[in-house]
Amino acid sequence: MHVRRSPRATLHNHSDLPPDAALDVRLHEIAINDELTLYLVTDLMDEQDTPAALSDAYRRRYDIEIDICNMKVVLDMETIRAKSLDMFQKELLASVVTYNLVTQFRRQAAELAELPHRRMSFKRTWTTFCTFLLSAMYTDAKSWRERYCLALSYAMHDKLPNRPGRSYEHEAYSRRPKSAQFKKRKRKRDPTDENPV
């Protein structure tokens, strides 16, 4: 167990903190392999938060980034059209409900394909969902169930490609200026693209 003192900058920016403010943390040393060691610092003190459980949670941290990207980009949640606070909240909640529905649809398709649900493409599953279930109105439950089963039979093939051994350098978006933080990012134009968007 280690005690981490608050740096001067933190104390300066948060005058409500006492000068002797400190945080109790644990440092876990986890051997990934013979050449790689992972050091995790956490303030979680429960007995169930073992190094193995924490390293597994750390390993899956990128799943959260992918989920946020799916919500913002695939479902276009970063474009809110509402003008009032009330409508903003309704549009945001409707988008979250849509995301949850598509996620459950993807899980069911993954069960049919006998694959982990993250092996299924969220983008392609969303396209299948829209094509089969949002393109027409259904007035009776039987027609809806038949269409839903048909959509699942197609969605179970919406798998991500398996490309072992490939690795790519990480790229980060440059920070947006505050004057443009709510504008959508534009796709970089490909000089070979004959029909630029």
Side-chain angles (χ1 to χ4, degrees):
M1 178 117 20
H2 302 268
V3 177
R4 180 184 177 192
R5 298 289 177 184
S6 298
R8 290 184 180 179
T10 302
L11 294 175
H12 177 74
N13 295 329
H14 299 277
S15 57
D16 54 321
L17 292 175
D20 59 345
L23 176 66
D24 291 338
V25 296
R26 283 181 176 173
L27 174 63
H28 296 283
E29 181 179 349
I30 303 157
I32 305 299
N33 54 46
D34 293 339
E35 299 177 355
L36 182 62
T37 302
L38 174 66
Y39 295 94
L40 287 178
V41 178
T42 178
D43 61 348
L44 299 175
M45 300 297 180
D46 294 337
E47 294 300 325
Q48 62 190 16
D49 297 318
T50 61
L54 291 171
S55 64
D56 183 61
Y58 182 79
R59 180 181 58 82
R60 292 185 286 111
R61 73 197 185 283
Y62 195 63
D63 292 343
I64 299 172
E65 299 294 332
I66 294 174
D67 292 340
I68 293 173
C69 180
N70 287 332
M71 295 177 74
K72 290 176 63 178
V73 178
V74 178
L75 298 183
D76 200 23
M77 282 180 61
E78 66 178 0
T79 304
I80 300 292
R81 300 165 183 82
K83 303 295 183 182
S84 66
L85 177 61
D86 187 47
M87 288 305 298
F88 171 84
Q89 292 174 340
K90 289 179 180 178
E91 189 172 343
L92 181 62
L93 289 174
S95 298
V96 172
V97 170
T98 302
Y99 173 79
N100 289 335
L101 285 173
V102 178
T103 298
Q104 292 306 316
F105 180 73
R106 182 174 70 160
R107 285 181 181 276
Q108 291 178 341
E111 288 179 5
L112 290 176
E114 298 181 349
L115 292 169
H117 74 278
R118 290 194 178 275
R119 270 285 280 123
M120 312 300 290
S121 167
F122 186 89
K123 168 67 175 174
R124 293 179 62 184
T125 305
W126 168 238
T127 302
T128 302
F129 189 90
C130 291
T131 302
F132 287 90
L133 303 176
L134 300 182
S135 60
M137 292 290 294
Y138 303 96
T139 56
D140 60 280
K142 181 181 178 182
S143 298
W144 168 257
R145 283 194 294 267
E146 290 176 352
R147 192 70 172 175
Y148 191 86
C149 291
L150 179 63
L152 277 177
S153 69
Y154 278 86
M156 65 182 291
H157 301 290
D158 294 337
K159 295 180 288 188
L160 290 168
N162 186 16
R163 296 169 176 166
R166 293 195 179 191
S167 62
Y168 301 90
E169 293 184 6
H170 291 283
E171 290 187 22
Y173 282 116
S174 57
R175 185 180 294 273
R176 298 182 186 183
K178 289 187 177 179
S179 60
Q181 62 181 341
F182 296 112
K183 293 181 180 179
K184 291 191 68 174
R185 293 187 177 95
K186 293 183 179 179
R187 180 171 64 89
K188 292 181 180 178
R189 186 180 181 279
D190 187 349
T192 62
D193 190 357
E194 297 179 357
N195 299 307
V197 178

